[in-house]
Amino acid sequence: MNLFSHSWLPFIYLYGLGGILFVAGIIITLKAGSFDLKRPAHRKWMWILLFGFFWYFSMHALMTWAALGTISPYAVPIILLAQVAIFIVVTLRFGKKARA
Amino acid sequence: MQTFHSIGTTADWIVMVVYFIAIMLFGSYFGRYTKNTSDFFFGGRRFSWWLITMSIVATGVGSHSFVKYSAKGFEHGISSTMTYLNDWFFIAFFMFGWLPIIVYSKVRSIPEYFEKRFSPSSRFLATILLLLYMIGYIGIGFLTLGKAVIPMLPVAFTLFGLTIPITLMGAIIVIAIVTGVYITFGGQTAVIFTDLLQGFILLFAGLLLFFFGITYLGGFDIFWDLLPTEWKLPMADFNQPSSFNFVGIFWQDAIAGSIGFLFMNQGLIMRFMACKNVNEGRKAAAINILFVLPISAIVVGNAGWIGKAISIASPEVVSPSVSPDQIFVVVANIISSPGVFGFIMAALTAALMSTVDTLINATAAIYINDIYRPIRQYLKKNVIPGPENDRRELGAARYASVGVTILGVLAVLAFKNFPTVYEAHGYFHSTLTPPLVVGIFLGVFWKRFTASAVITTFVGGVALMILGARYPGILIAPFDHGIEMNQAHPYSYIRALYNTLVCSGVAVLATLTTQLQVSLISNIRSKANNTLLMNGILVVAILFFGIVAFGIAGLTLQVAAAVGVIVLVPLAVTYFVHYDEEDNTLGLTASSIHIARKQFKGSDPNDQEGEKILVHWRLFESDASSMGFSSNDMDQMSAKQGDLVYLSDKRSWLGGLKSVHSTYAEPHSEDGIVYLTPDLIESGLFAEGRELLAEKEM
């Protein structure tokens, strides 16, 4: 059965169009000056924004692979939890830098 | 389609009643912290991010409820999670655009922003659109509640020898009365704390149900292998069926829904405004979307997935023909024991009530800010702020809550004939959000977007939306991405694309022709009979809108009338409405947030990083509203006299319940001591001898 229209086509549409909107949001707020990367706290937010996009991107990709039988369904929560651990460590390091 | 009645045992009903009494007592306890309308609606702008995050769970999960996602999970599988996993795309716009603007501009409602950013007439139109949206949302909430409770109730009951049938509307009316009680007497603080408790409980209940379901089926591997491949995929098929397809839901939910939820859901906005500062609001939004929503997606949809797996393995236990909106209750009853089922049902109904009560509270806030106060100011000209006025407004807010509850029940009639709650909600969102979403979005991010453009968007955009709803096969079909049109409910989701495009198109057109409008109007002003001419244009514009709204004449004439509206309305607005691009955008657009911060503080913000310090408080009799720290303590906080300070009880688990905002007074010499006035002590709910945590805001 051809599942492309049920799997990767929605994925491409979601992260293609959604990605354009996401990047537009960052560029517009940076240009407006409300998002200011000179401020350490805002640099931390940039990391969180980019992580968030990658987090959902990888979550959907892993779930699709698991559904299609490419990977085990048990790999999905394991990889996602590893990402959460990385997120916590890096975010805390940003917090320390901001205070230093 | 198979429907159920009288599911559950006496033990379940006892658990449910006890649960509801406990929740109402809990809400009433925190209602005592409500002293004025600021507390009633915004909880006094004092709470920590984690408390707001958890309280948003009950609101978000309640609104995207167990019933409708379990229904779609049962019909289509894990793709029921789609709507929970697509909210990140607009987060930068929200965190660094809308959120700081609503906090720093000190607006109390979304329509108030429209008045400041555009004009009072824009506020009037925004109020109408927003009230329709909120009351419709409450109606959807009540409908879902009714559908959740009906399977547990008998077909009829006998009272004094009279047999009274239990109907959906009857159940909804009883639920509305219960819901109205504590929201009317509690207010936002009660709602936040009740939702905090319910947020934890419903996540626990949903995960418990998943665990029971997997155990019932014999393990995760069996569950996984029972589901067909299409049912395991995280997204629906691109464009079919018409009742549940990816591309329609992308435009309805990921675009219109996400912006609507983040930018124009007054209930959610009020939660973020209850955060102690903008950064805490950002944290609450980020943690909620990143981590809580994916868990919530499993919590609300898993009963449908389990139901589907059972229907494949044992169709005699769960028939594939069970009404989708009843699958949650049916599955919960099968896989859990008596009492536990009652607990799960209590968590479900309580979550839905959280959504509804938040929306009722928010709608009452809109009524007070955008109808009651402007009318009183208009009638009495001079309303004196003070305790007397505040008491009167608090009373009006409580009456408004009752009125909104009644309107919400009536709104159910508009949605109860859709096949599932999910489709009713999708149709509602696609139809009502685009004009306001475009208005807010361009208002915040496009300085050139004018008052005439926003009013033309509201009027002209709505005219084109009405035409789309009337002629979907002609106007919406070109955007349908191959989705088949359902004659009964045409393009429930993809109409969001058409509606967003026409509203955006009108907005951009009206903005780009601003100079032309201004020169035409200055030309008209130079004529002796200019008022008569402009009144004539206004009447013609209203007539054109009437032709579209009431469907007088054929399609071509209606389209021509809509074009007439789009041409004439900006001219009329430019003539009648005062708008100054500099005054109306200062501190109200993303490019002037630095000015908004300055206006919020009253002087230049101090962004130097400082430390948080622990202090003990002492009473200081004064009429001033500032608080006094020692010079050393202020140096440690990198604070100067006049900077903003946040003082809270040291116990972080209170989440800011006992806290207050103020400014730094002239420093003294006693380190570790803060001098507070009686007003600040009362407002912060500070107890004698308790250590406090102080931090500079800006």
Side-chain angles (χ1 to χ4, degrees):
Chain A
M1 190 197 296
N2 181 9
L3 287 169
F4 181 72
S5 73
H6 206 312
S7 56
W8 297 114
L9 179 59
F11 182 87
I12 293 164
Y13 195 96
L14 181 66
Y15 289 99
L17 207 49
I20 291 169
L21 292 167
F22 176 73
V23 172
I26 292 177
I27 292 171
I28 288 171
T29 50
L30 281 172
K31 285 205 161 196
S34 54
F35 188 18
D36 179 7
L37 294 180
K38 287 187 202 114
R39 297 172 67 180
H42 285 204
R43 281 202 290 277
K44 184 170 87 174
W45 281 113
M46 177 61 107
W47 148 251
I48 294 170
L49 287 173
L50 296 175
F51 169 83
F53 187 82
F54 178 73
W55 163 252
Y56 275 115
F57 182 91
S58 61
M59 190 187 294
H60 272 129
L62 290 167
M63 285 165 77
T64 304
W65 276 321
L68 296 174
T70 313
I71 59 169
S72 158
Y74 295 105
V76 179
I78 292 167
I79 298 171
L80 291 177
L81 281 174
Q83 287 185 30
V84 172
I86 294 168
F87 172 75
I88 292 169
V89 170
V90 177
T91 308
L92 288 176
R93 281 183 68 87
F94 265 107
K96 276 183 188 163
K97 270 187 193 170
R99 279 192 292 274
Chain B
M1 200 171 280
Q2 195 180 3
T3 55
F4 290 84
H5 279 281
S6 300
I7 290 178
T9 62
T10 311
D12 295 319
W13 279 103
I14 292 169
V15 170
M16 281 189 75
V17 169
V18 169
Y19 184 94
F20 271 88
I21 291 170
I23 285 290
M24 284 172 76
L25 288 174
F26 189 77
S28 303
Y29 174 79
F30 286 100
R32 72 197 177 119
Y33 293 115
T34 297
K35 293 187 175 62
N36 51 38
T37 43
S38 173
D39 286 337
F40 189 82
F41 292 130
F42 307 107
R45 202 173 71 81
R46 60 174 73 189
F47 297 114
S48 300
W49 67 268
W50 60 266
L51 201 146
I52 296 299
T53 302
M54 283 315 292
S55 80
I56 290 170
V57 173
T59 305
V61 169
S63 64
H64 300 274
S65 69
F66 285 88
V67 171
K68 65 183 195 181
Y69 291 105
S70 292
K72 286 299 160 194
F74 183 62
E75 288 180 316
H76 301 283
I78 292 171
S79 53
S80 67
T81 57
M82 268 192 313
T83 42
Y84 273 84
L85 309 180
N86 59 19
D87 288 308
W88 194 249
F89 303 127
F90 291 97
I91 196 72
F93 287 114
F94 176 72
M95 283 181 178
F96 296 97
W98 188 225
L99 181 63
I101 285 173
I102 52 169
V103 171
Y104 295 140
S105 64
K106 295 181 183 174
V107 293
R108 286 170 161 249
S109 69
I110 293 165
E112 195 181 334
Y113 172 77
F114 275 89
E115 176 162 354
K116 284 190 169 184
R117 172 67 178 83
F118 302 108
S119 65
S121 41
S122 313
R123 178 182 186 164
F124 173 72
L125 291 173
T127 303
I128 293 173
L129 286 171
L130 199 62
L131 283 177
L132 283 172
Y133 171 78
M134 301 295 283
I135 290 167
Y137 222 129
I138 293 166
I140 294 273
F142 278 138
L143 175 65
T144 318
L145 268 164
K147 288 204 174 194
V149 170
I150 281 285
M152 293 186 72
L153 301 172
V155 179
F157 66 96
T158 307
L159 193 70
F160 304 120
L162 209 70
T163 303
I164 302 167
I166 293 176
T167 61
L168 180 67
M169 282 310 289
I172 286 168
I173 289 167
V174 174
I175 290 162
I177 293 167
V178 177
T179 309
V181 172
Y182 88 74
I183 181 67
T184 305
F185 297 101
Q188 182 74 340
T189 306
V191 169
I192 285 171
F193 275 86
T194 312
D195 279 8
L196 170 73
L197 179 68
Q198 291 185 164
F200 281 113
I201 291 173
L202 74 90
L203 286 184
F204 173 72
L207 293 173
L208 186 72
L209 191 71
F210 193 40
F211 174 75
F212 283 156
I214 296 294
T215 309
Y216 180 90
L217 286 162
F220 184 82
D221 288 335
I222 296 172
F223 160 74
W224 190 251
D225 292 339
L226 277 169
L227 295 179
T229 304
E230 314 89 87
W231 289 62
K232 295 178 200 168
L233 285 162
M235 285 183 255
D237 187 89
F238 187 72
N239 56 10
Q240 56 181 332
S242 63
S243 61
F244 192 74
N245 53 78
F246 165 80
V247 71
I249 290 165
F250 173 82
W251 284 100
Q252 175 262 314
D253 193 87
I255 304 297
S258 292
I259 307 180
F261 195 62
L262 284 170
F263 285 68
M264 61 175 271
N265 186 324
Q266 175 85 13
L268 195 75
I269 294 287
M270 282 163 62
R271 289 298 165 84
F272 288 119
M273 288 160 92
C275 282
K276 69 178 186 188
N277 58 39
V278 170
N279 211 41
E280 292 289 297
R282 287 180 184 134
K283 283 184 201 170
I287 300 297
N288 183 57
I289 298 175
L290 283 181
F291 304 118
V292 180
L293 283 187
I295 296 170
S296 304
I298 298 170
V299 161
V300 298
N302 75 76
W305 315 336
I306 299 286
K308 177 65 183 175
I310 298 174
S311 77
I312 293 169
S314 321
E316 69 286 357
V317 179
V318 174
S319 162
S321 67
V322 170
S323 165
D325 276 346
Q326 292 195 340
I327 192 67
F328 177 85
V329 185
V330 171
V331 168
N333 183 51
I334 291 168
I335 63 179
S336 57
S337 53
V340 176
F341 172 64
F343 166 72
I344 290 169
M345 284 308 296
L348 160 74
T349 40
L352 284 161
M353 275 176 64
S354 288
T355 302
V356 175
D357 62 46
T358 299
L359 290 167
I360 291 171
N361 183 264
T363 314
I366 294 169
Y367 169 77
I368 293 296
N369 285 304
D370 305 300
I371 297 175
Y372 181 82
R373 275 190 199 136
I375 287 178
R376 279 196 74 211
Q377 274 167 1
Y378 177 76
L379 292 176
K380 300 201 171 181
K381 305 286 183 193
N382 188 20
V383 178
I384 303 155
E388 180 60 29
N389 183 53
D390 224 36
R391 260 196 300 279
R392 190 178 289 128
E393 286 190 353
L394 197 57
R398 286 180 168 142
Y399 284 120
S401 298
V402 176
V404 167
T405 306
I406 294 167
L407 287 172
V409 172
L410 292 174
V412 172
L413 298 171
F415 304 115
K416 73 186 184 80
N417 292 327
F418 276 85
T420 59
V421 175
Y422 189 95
E423 279 156 273
H425 190 246
Y427 183 90
F428 158 76
H429 235 222
S430 308
T431 306
L432 271 175
T433 51
L436 269 175
V437 156
V438 170
I440 294 173
F441 201 76
L442 294 183
V444 172
F445 295 103
W446 199 14
K447 196 182 167 187
R448 286 178 62 190
F449 192 52
T450 61
S452 80
V454 77
I455 292 175
T456 310
T457 305
F458 287 162
V459 183
V462 167
L464 291 174
M465 281 167 52
I466 292 170
L467 290 180
R470 194 172 290 139
Y471 303 102
I474 298 169
L475 296 173
I476 303 180
F479 306 97
D480 69 9
H481 287 66
I483 299 166
E484 196 184 336
M485 189 173 89
N486 175 343
Q487 294 297 336
H489 304 288
Y491 300 127
S492 290
Y493 312 112
I494 199 71
R495 66 174 54 236
L497 171 58
Y498 167 82
N499 290 343
T500 307
L501 279 180
V502 294
C503 288
S504 308
V506 169
V508 171
L509 195 70
T511 307
L512 295 180
T513 54
T514 301
Q515 281 312 314
L516 185 65
Q517 294 157 28
V518 171
S519 63
L520 272 171
I521 290 301
S522 59
N523 202 4
I524 289 172
R525 275 191 209 280
S526 63
K527 297 186 190 310
N529 58 347
N530 64 78
T531 310
L532 185 70
L533 192 64
M534 286 314 299
N535 280 332
I537 285 178
L538 191 62
V539 170
V540 172
I542 292 168
L543 282 174
F544 280 167
F545 187 81
I547 288 171
V548 176
F550 299 106
I552 305 162
L555 172 64
T556 315
L557 255 171
Q558 285 183 54
V559 171
V563 172
V565 168
I566 293 163
V567 171
L568 297 180
V569 167
L571 291 178
V573 177
T574 307
Y575 181 84
F576 288 109
V577 172
H578 170 75
Y579 177 79
D580 183 297
E581 189 176 309
E582 283 309 310
D583 288 350
N584 287 90
T585 54
L586 212 61
L588 296 164
T589 59
S591 56
S592 59
I593 282 177
H594 58 290
I595 294 168
R597 292 180 79 221
K598 193 174 170 178
Q599 288 170 343
F600 180 78
K601 186 186 169 189
S603 59
D604 282 323
N606 173 0
D607 289 325
Q608 211 182 332
E609 294 280 343
E611 290 175 30
K612 295 176 185 178
I613 61 158
L614 288 170
V615 287
H616 282 282
W617 65 267
R618 281 189 196 156
L619 182 66
F620 176 63
E621 292 291 349
S622 166
D623 291 336
S625 60
S626 50
M627 51 179 79
F629 290 86
S630 75
S631 303
N632 290 336
D633 287 345
M634 282 177 68
D635 286 345
Q636 222 176 324
M637 288 185 276
S638 302
K640 298 186 186 79
Q641 190 179 343
D643 285 348
L644 302 185
V645 56
Y646 175 73
L647 189 66
S648 62
D649 192 294
K650 190 183 83 171
R651 294 167 292 175
S652 57
W653 55 267
L654 282 171
L657 179 67
K658 298 187 174 196
S659 64
V660 70
H661 290 269
S662 184
T663 50
Y664 289 93
E666 202 176 327
H668 55 74
S669 56
E670 297 169 73
D671 292 347
I673 300 296
V674 57
Y675 281 98
L676 302 176
T677 62
D679 277 356
L680 288 173
I681 293 165
E682 193 195 1
S683 178
L685 308 162
F686 297 136
E688 192 82 48
R690 284 277 176 199
E691 219 172 1
L692 305 176
L693 189 67
E695 61 181 294
K696 183 195 69 190
E697 265 197 279
M698 64 165 83

